Amino acid sequence: GQNIDQPTEMTATEGAIVQINCTYQTSGFNGLFWYQQHAGEAPTFLSYNVLDGLEEKGRFSSFLSRSKGYSYLLLKELQMKDSASYLCAVRDRRNYGGSQGNLIFGKGTKLSVKP
Amino acid sequence: DGGITQSPKYLFRKEGQNVTLSCEQNLNHDAMYWYRQDPGQGLRLIYYSQIVNDFQKGDIAEGYSVSREKKESFPLTVTSAQKNPTAFYLCASSGTGDTQYFGPGTRLTVL
């Protein structure tokens, strides 16, 4: 089957670094996505990993290890506006139709940034 | 401006009524998706369409229907057969095999 796990909630301090972990189980892995979602709003795309390693994009970085079924999102120099839910989603080519596969989402990690 | 629009932002429905949620995109994306989000749960796929005039059921299609008559539009109808329709509904689109981008969402409440 397919399963995605991430912590439910995390708290961090403004200016600090926080790492949000995501573990997954899937047979037809075809990429992992991170989205940010502020309360009551739509998810916005942050990053995409399909090969092992670290992808850096400004204050945000995402890491993938396919052999371990593991990813993390690293947020540096935290700001109050980073308080949001962070969604991990895995694309499984065996999931539904098409050659690319659809996304399976984790339940999200709610990050609270304190002054 | 390119993007995905959903309307209305808030929708109230009486029990037994069908309602239709609008989703439009001008990104020239082939694929479109409907998700439902409930508190404490991940996004769950209702229906998706990879091309005009074709659509497929997702995990939780019961009580919902869709159409894809135009590339730009993918409306979702929540029928009276959906027993627990109160939720936040999100539409997304993507190019083939590409990242999904989301619309602003419609919050549906059953009175």
Side-chain angles (χ1 to χ4, degrees), chain A residues 61-80:
Chain A
S61 303
S62 57
F63 172 82
L64 175 67
S65 169
R66 289 172 295 170
S67 62
K68 295 181 180 178
Y70 168 68
S71 173
Y72 67 72
L73 181 70
L74 193 72
L75 290 74
K76 303 176 186 175
E77 302 170 15
L78 278 173
Q79 302 175 9
M80 299 298 289

Side-chain angles (χ1 to χ4, degrees), chain A residues 33 35 37 40-43 45 87 91 96-98 100 102-103 105-107, chain B residues 33 35 37 40 42-43 45 48 50 58-59 88 90 97-100 102-103:
Chain A
F33 296 79
Y35 286 84
Q37 186 179 26
E41 298 182 9
F45 169 71
L87 313 181
R91 187 162 59 193
Y96 304 110
Q100 300 296 331
N102 284 327
L103 297 181
F105 283 83
K107 295 182 179 181
Chain B
Y33 312 81
Y35 293 91
Q37 188 174 37
L43 275 68
L45 184 66
Y48 69 100
Q50 293 184 313
D59 283 324
F88 189 42
L90 288 160
D98 219 339
T99 301
Q100 292 186 24
F102 287 85

Side-chain angles (χ1 to χ4, degrees), chain B residues 17-80:
Chain B
Q17 282 184 336
N18 292 357
V19 289
T20 297
L21 283 59
S22 167
C23 178
E24 304 276 333
Q25 55 97 2
N26 59 6
L27 300 168
N28 200 34
H29 285 167
D30 285 317
M32 297 186 74
Y33 312 81
W34 274 105
Y35 293 91
R36 170 183 172 138
Q37 188 174 37
D38 295 280
Q41 296 205 36
L43 275 68
R44 292 183 291 168
L45 184 66
I46 304 172
Y47 268 97
Y48 69 100
S49 168
Q50 293 184 313
I51 199 167
V52 175
N53 292 322
D54 184 61
F55 51 83
Q56 305 294 331
K57 293 181 180 180
D59 283 324
I60 54 166
E62 185 175 351
Y64 299 98
S65 65
V66 293
S67 63
R68 186 84 187 278
E69 297 175 2
K70 298 187 299 181
K71 187 175 186 177
E72 302 79 17
S73 179
F74 191 39
L76 174 75
T77 297
V78 184
T79 75
S80 57

Side-chain angles (χ1 to χ4, degrees), chain A residues 20-93:
Chain A
I20 302 174
N21 296 325
C22 172
T23 58
Y24 64 88
Q25 294 174 330
T26 182
S27 300
F29 178 82
N30 192 26
L32 186 143
F33 296 79
W34 284 97
Y35 286 84
Q36 179 191 61
Q37 186 179 26
H38 286 99
E41 298 182 9
T44 55
F45 169 71
L46 290 178
S47 69
Y48 169 65
N49 296 71
V50 67
L51 300 176
D52 292 349
L54 188 68
E55 294 282 340
E56 297 187 80
K57 195 183 290 186
R59 292 190 300 117
F60 293 4
S61 303
S62 57
F63 172 82
L64 175 67
S65 169
R66 289 172 295 170
S67 62
K68 295 181 180 178
Y70 168 68
S71 173
Y72 67 72
L73 181 70
L74 193 72
L75 290 74
K76 303 176 186 175
E77 302 170 15
L78 278 173
Q79 302 175 9
M80 299 298 289
K81 68 178 182 179
D82 296 330
S83 292
S85 288
Y86 291 86
L87 313 181
C88 174
V90 171
R91 187 162 59 193
D92 185 339
R93 65 169 60 87

